[in-house]
Amino acid sequence: LKVTLDNATLFATEENTPTQAEVIVEYTVAGGKMQNRRVVPLVVYGRRAIDWTESTPIAAFVTPQEETVRTFARAAVVANDGSLPEPVLQAIAMFQAMSQAQLKYVKDPVLPARSGALDTVQFARETLQTRSGDCDDLSVLFATLLESVGVETAFLLVPGHVLVGVNAGVPPDALERVTLDPTRVVVHEGKAFVPVETTMIGKSFREAWAQGAATVARAGAKSGADGLTVVETRRGWASYPPAPLPRTAGISVPKPDAKTAGALDEAHLVVAARDAAKAEQETRLAAAVTKDPSGPEASAYATLLARQGKLDAARAVLKAALDKKPGSVVLTNNLANVDVLGGDVTSAVGHYRTILEQAGPRKGDVLTNLGIAYAQVGDSQKAVEAFDAALAAGASSAFLATGF
């Protein structure tokens, strides 16, 4: 039995309200009309209520088309200089704007013990108006601001707490534009989400990111109700679309100033930390390869150099390693990949073919790269044949995405 309630009445309901429902069922038996009536008690929960036993309804609180939110978000957006993926930069911008608005973290009112998993969540415009909220209120605001400028989000739920994951805009195996530390992202169904602790408004985005990563890492090590639950906002909308908030005139909310909120300064510090980690990693790998040219670090070092566009240096590292380990499937495959990146597809195809028979469980991956090479020179028939063979051999999607 589906019941449709009046939106205007529902959104006017502030508190949980006990009431009664009368159910009337009319039916026909042997030509005679029958009727049953039943009155049952029920509770109409306030408009901000949520039952955390089913976490997906949190998506309904994300209302990116609400005009107050859109106005705030548009004023906070900053132009990208290309040093960070767009979603990460705008996440920094929205976080800085929330800090500039001097929002405060406060806890929810205490709920009665019999409410169990029942909680209250403010809509984004309410949090902007009151300039305060608890973890779920601030998370809803942050997610709503980001979704209003086209950035995909997810709610990261751990016992008693809510964070926001920001889709980094790069695949999980190409995170070097964001971070070199895989523990600083949450990988969920092929997407990499940057975890942000929204209660740390007033602190730097770097600190909020670090705290978010630490929180989800602790939860991720556990299972069941004590573990991490990821609720992608847009998937949640399929069952719980954004709430149709009534228009409200005269709402007073802070107005962010992208020029003074410090988003670009913070972004530059994020980039500086990332690049320092890259330099440290490159130094460490270079030292290891100098000590042992054919050691396990050789492929990692060549991959790092290739992704920086240093193809000649990457090729030299791999050839030196192959001098010590001729016929190595991994080293030869990566040398072929460097050739593909450098446009020498003929040489790449030759390398791939020399290791196909001894590739073992990696054969599907090598065939995938061979298909990519054929596709780059426009030989679609051979490319399709290679891809079909790769699928039959169990090629991994990660290999397909990176080529390394």
Side-chain angles (χ1 to χ4, degrees), residues 164-221:
V164 173
V166 181
N167 188 334
V170 295
D173 43 18
L175 284 172
E176 63 273 5
R177 286 195 62 204
V178 181
T179 179
L180 296 185
D181 184 356
T183 67
R184 288 173 60 83
V185 298
V186 174
V187 177
H188 179 71
E189 298 191 1
K191 301 173 185 177
F193 291 94
V194 172
V196 181
E197 176 55 79
T198 57
T199 65
M200 293 187 71
I201 46 175
K203 303 288 186 179
S204 70
F205 180 85
R206 287 162 292 136
E207 292 172 289
W209 181 3
Q211 183 60 50
T215 299
V216 298
R218 288 192 297 270

Side-chain angles (χ1 to χ4, degrees), residues 224-244:
D226 294 328
L228 172 68
T229 299
V230 179
V231 178
E232 292 188 34
T233 305
R234 297 178 186 182
R235 290 192 178 185
W237 283 337
S239 300
Y240 299 92

